């Protein structure tokens, strides 16, 4: 498993690093940690001729500060990866954050891991907006981390019968193991709530279809060793998924990047974006 980890010196960046060690990947991850010194945003769109307006020296001072911060972040990330026995490297480059992450994102069989927020806007990283851009445009799966790392005990898996949601299921079956290690309990099975949401339509066939689909995927997940709950729901997909996540105190939501499309009324593409922006727990968008 190839992982591109975005780090910026914020607590969310550190949480993202620590989360990698909590996910029971089927194969040991190879981590590339990337820190971007965003000097491009310092010059645009604030001024056209910075020397004329007399603030070039302040820009140069800010660039120096950012480069000093970058050196510190690289050292701290190397130390953190080593302490978690994660194999990988740490690189630093100049550019805009989102485009640099997308340029280096694994093309296949990989995950980009990014914090949901970064340092404040004065520090020019703004990982909050970056996480949305990366989720929408990355060629691989994206994990958006929102909380401090902890043992991965409870997952909400969203399905709608689309190819994208099948990929989310396959991620759990092929790229993760069904057990996690809790320091207080030892090795324990991960609990998965399988969620399928349909709109309020008064047709018995819809209810039967929803229940059959949830049961089909729940059986697959249970056969792999996970503990499973079936959660067929009615309503707005993103809202209902977040309700289930809150009710089960989920550590992670796993969803496909796209759904069945507008005609089928599921729109997992927009749902995944809403989950990334508004859910209280971390979100893995699978491609």
């Amino acid at each position: 498993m190839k992982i591109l980890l975005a780090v910026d010196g914020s607590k969310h960046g550190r949480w993202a690093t620590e989360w990698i060690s909590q996910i029971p990947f089927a194969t040991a991850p190879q981590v590339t940690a990337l820190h971007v010194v965003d000097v491009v945003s310092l010059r645009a769109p604030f001024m056209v001729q910075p020397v004329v307006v007399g603030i070039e020296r302040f820009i140069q001072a800010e660039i120096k500060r950012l480069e000093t911060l970058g050196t510190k972040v690289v050292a701290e990330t190397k130390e953190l990866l080593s302490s978690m026995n994660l194999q990988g490297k740490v690189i630093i480059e100049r550019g805009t954050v989102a485009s640099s992450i997308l340029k280096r994102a694994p093309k296949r069989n990989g995950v980009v891991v990014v914090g949901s927020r970064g340092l404040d806007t004065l520090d020019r990283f703004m990982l909050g907006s970056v996480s949305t851009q990366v989720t929408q445009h990355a060629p691989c799966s994206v994990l958006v981390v929102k909380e401090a790392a902890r043992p991965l005990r409870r997952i909400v898996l969203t399905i709608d019968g689309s190819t994208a949601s099948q990929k989310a299921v396959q991620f759990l079956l092929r790229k993760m193991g069904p057990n996690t290690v809790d320091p207080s309990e030892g090795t324990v099975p991960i609990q998965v709530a399988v969620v399928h949401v349909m709109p309020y339509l008064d047709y018995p066939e819809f209810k039967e279809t929803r229940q059959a689909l949830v049961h089909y995927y729940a059986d697959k997940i249970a056969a792999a060793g996970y503990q499973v709950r079936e959660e067929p729901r009615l309503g707005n997909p993103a809202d209902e998924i977040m309700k289930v996540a809150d009710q089960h105190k989920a550590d992670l939501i796993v969803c496909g990047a796209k759904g069945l499309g507008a005609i089928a009324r599921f729109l997992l593409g927009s749902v995944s974006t809403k989950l990334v922006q508004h859910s209280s727990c971390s979100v893995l968008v699978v491609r």
Side-chain angles (χ1 to χ4, degrees):
M1 174 69 71
K2 295 180 180 179
I3 292 180
L4 179 67
L5 166 68
V7 293
D8 70 341
S10 70
K11 67 178 182 181
H12 286 81
R14 182 181 179 88
W15 291 348
T17 308
E18 294 170 340
W19 256 103
I20 297 173
S21 66
Q22 296 294 340
I23 297 178
F25 290 111
T27 58
Q30 292 293 317
V31 181
T32 298
L34 172 65
H35 177 73
V36 182
V37 178
D38 188 357
V39 297
V40 177
S41 297
L42 288 174
R43 296 187 178 279
F46 303 110
M47 70 292 292
V48 177
Q49 295 178 301
V51 175
V52 173
V53 297
I55 61 172
E56 176 66 15
R57 62 190 180 95
F58 297 108
I59 293 177
Q60 292 301 321
E62 181 67 4
I63 290 174
K64 184 176 180 179
R65 186 188 71 83
L66 293 178
E67 290 178 336
T68 300
L69 172 64
T71 301
K72 179 182 177 182
V73 171
V74 168
E76 290 176 347
T77 303
K78 286 181 178 179
E79 182 179 353
L80 185 56
L81 290 175
S82 177
S83 70
M84 296 186 298
N85 295 316
L86 291 172
Q87 299 296 317
K89 59 183 178 180
V90 185
I91 57 178
I92 185 171
E93 66 178 43
R94 286 190 177 196
T96 55
V97 180
S99 62
S100 297
I101 293 171
L102 292 171
K103 179 180 68 177
R104 289 187 174 272
K107 298 299 185 291
R108 298 176 59 187
N109 191 35
V111 180
V112 172
V113 181
V114 61
S116 61
R117 291 182 176 181
L119 298 171
D120 62 26
T121 53
L122 293 177
D123 287 294
R124 310 307 310 155
F125 291 95
M126 299 174 289
L127 276 188
S129 61
V130 168
S131 62
T132 300
Q133 294 179 57
V134 172
T135 300
Q136 293 174 339
H137 301 294
C140 61
S141 301
V142 179
L143 171 62
V144 179
V145 173
K146 298 196 169 192
E147 299 176 294
R150 57 181 183 265
L152 183 58
R153 297 290 302 271
R154 290 169 289 274
I155 292 174
V156 168
L157 171 66
T158 71
I159 61 166
D160 71 346
S162 67
T163 300
S165 70
Q166 291 174 25
K167 289 180 179 179
V169 173
Q170 292 303 315
F171 193 98
L172 295 188
L173 297 179
R174 297 179 181 178
K175 298 182 180 180
M176 285 178 54
N179 300 312
T180 190
V181 177
D182 190 312
S184 62
E185 300 181 41
T187 301
V188 294
I190 297 172
Q191 301 173 20
V192 179
V194 181
V195 182
H196 176 52
V197 185
M198 294 189 72
Y200 288 106
L201 294 175
D202 190 19
Y203 294 98
E205 295 83 0
F206 274 39
K207 181 178 180 180
E208 294 173 3
T209 300
R210 181 180 77 246
Q211 292 175 335
L213 192 63
V214 170
H215 190 66
Y216 172 77
Y217 284 113
D219 281 350
K220 283 181 171 290
I221 298 296
Y226 293 92
Q227 288 186 349
V228 179
R229 296 176 62 100
E230 298 183 12
E231 291 283 354
R233 294 283 181 124
L234 292 173
N236 176 276
D239 292 343
E240 292 302 316
I241 291 165
M242 287 187 283
K243 285 180 184 177
V244 174
D246 290 341
Q247 289 168 3
H248 293 292
K249 296 181 173 57
D251 304 305
L252 180 68
I253 297 173
V254 178
C255 63
K258 295 181 180 179
L260 290 171
I263 294 177
R265 307 297 303 160
F266 293 96
L267 302 169
L268 269 190
S270 60
V271 169
S272 61
T273 299
K274 188 171 181 179
L275 293 175
V276 165
Q277 292 174 340
H278 300 294
S279 71
S280 58
C281 67
S282 301
V283 179
L284 173 63
V285 180
V286 179
R287 285 186 173 84

